[in-house]
Amino acid sequence: MDIESRLKQIKIENFIYIIYFGIIFLGLYSNRIEKKYLIYKDEKDKERYRQILILIFIIAVLVYIYYFYDAYKSAKEYNSNEEVNNFNRLSFIASTLVLISGFIFLYIAYSDKDINVELAFS
C-alpha cells in the first residue's frame, strides 16, 4: 500500500472513531432510558430504548461493512511477503466474523420487542 492510500485510510479511520464516540453517547443515553423504563414501566421508554439500540447496531454494521470491504481488498492484493498475505487473510476472516456478529445483534435488537436480551455494543 502506498503512502497516499494509507493516509486516506487513516483519515477514514479517524472519522470512524468519531462515529464510535457517537455510539458511546447513544449507548449511555439508551441506558438512561432503559433505567427509566425499568423503574416506571413506561412503554414509550421501552420503545425508544429499542429504537436507539437498533440505530446503534445499524451504525455499527455500517462500520463493520467498511472494515470488511477494506480487509477484502487487502486479502485480494498480492504481496511478495507471504506473512503479510497470511495476516491479510486472517484480517479478512476476522472482519467477516465481526460483520456476522453485527448482523446478529441487529437482528436481536430489531426482533426482541420485549427487550429480554441484554445487548452490548462491543
Side-chain angles (χ1 to χ4, degrees):
M1 177 180 292
D2 64 6
I3 292 174
E4 202 154 313
S5 295
R6 183 64 184 127
L7 290 174
K8 182 181 176 188
Q9 188 178 28
I10 289 170
K11 186 176 181 180
I12 292 169
E13 288 172 358
N14 286 341
F15 179 71
I16 288 172
Y17 287 129
I18 292 168
I19 291 171
Y20 282 149
F21 282 125
I23 289 173
I24 291 167
F25 170 77
L26 285 172
L28 291 169
Y29 181 64
S30 72
N31 279 348
R32 184 171 151 243
I33 293 171
E34 181 185 24
K35 183 178 174 182
K36 275 181 54 182
Y37 166 69
L38 292 172
I39 293 170
Y40 301 111
K41 302 294 184 202
D42 185 348
E43 290 296 313
K44 289 179 186 176
D45 286 331
K46 179 173 90 170
E47 188 55 29
R48 192 165 20 152
Y49 170 70
R50 267 190 74 247
Q51 294 300 320
I52 292 172
L53 275 183
I54 291 169
L55 177 63
I56 288 170
F57 286 106
I58 287 172
I59 294 168
V61 164
L62 292 174
V63 169
Y64 299 158
I65 288 170
Y66 166 77
Y67 281 120
F68 169 81
Y69 178 69
D70 188 56
Y72 173 75
K73 286 191 319 187
S74 295
K76 278 183 58 170
E77 288 178 6
Y78 174 76
N79 191 302
S80 59
N81 184 335
E82 192 57 34
E83 184 178 44
V84 171
N85 289 328
N86 288 334
F87 288 150
N88 283 336
R89 283 190 289 271
L90 288 172
S91 177
F92 175 67
I93 292 168
S95 295
T96 302
L97 295 173
V98 169
L99 180 59
I100 291 168
S101 74
F103 278 118
I104 292 169
F105 280 129
L106 178 57
Y107 172 78
I108 293 169
Y110 179 78
S111 299
D112 186 12
K113 307 282 188 223
D114 293 323
I115 59 173
N116 292 317
V117 177
E118 179 63 30
L119 296 176
F121 172 74
S122 48

